Every structure is written in structure tokens, then in C-alpha cells.
Amino acid sequence: MQLFRDYCESQDVQLVLEGLETRQEYLLAMELGVENAQGYFLGRPAAIEEVHAFL
């Protein structure tokens, strides 16, 4: 993961880590310097009405 993150950074490509499902995965991603992530740990899928209400 670190190698892939470093490669993306060297190519000026934004990396988004997908599939974070646990706190342990989240902490590892942060330790590796991942700045963008998504997954169930950070937020569950929501209906469009819920998203509009949140915004």
C-alpha cells in the first residue's frame, strides 16, 4: 500500500482508498499517509433524500 501511495504521489495522482470497513483499516491508512478514503467505517450508503437532508 505504501508503494502504491508513493507512486500516486510521484505522479501527482489523487489516491482514494476504498473499502474501509474497520477502525484498524482506518488507522493503518492514516499511518500510511492516505488522505482520501471511503467505506462503511466512514459512512454507510444512504438514500438520496437522506443525503439532501444531511447537506
Side-chain angles (χ1 to χ4, degrees), residues 13-24:
V13 173
Q14 184 177 6
L15 173 67
V16 178
L17 181 62
E18 295 190 21
L20 285 179
E21 295 187 5
T22 66
R23 184 174 191 273
Q24 183 177 4

Side-chain angles (χ1 to χ4, degrees), residues 5 7-11 13-14 17-22 25 28 30 33 35-36 38 40 42 46-49:
R5 189 200 67 81
Y7 175 76
C8 289
E9 186 175 290
S10 74
Q11 299 299 307
V13 173
Q14 184 177 6
L17 181 62
E18 295 190 21
L20 285 179
E21 295 187 5
T22 66
E25 292 171 345
L28 178 59
M30 296 303 103
E35 295 179 0
N36 303 294
Q38 64 183 36
Y40 282 123
L42 300 173
I48 193 68
E49 296 81 15

Side-chain angles (χ1 to χ4, degrees), residues 2 6-7 15 24 26-27 33 37-38 44-45 49 53-55:
Q2 183 71 46
D6 291 345
Y7 175 76
L15 173 67
Q24 183 177 4
Y26 171 78
L27 293 174
Q38 64 183 36
R44 303 271 184 206
E49 296 81 15
F54 178 76
L55 298 175

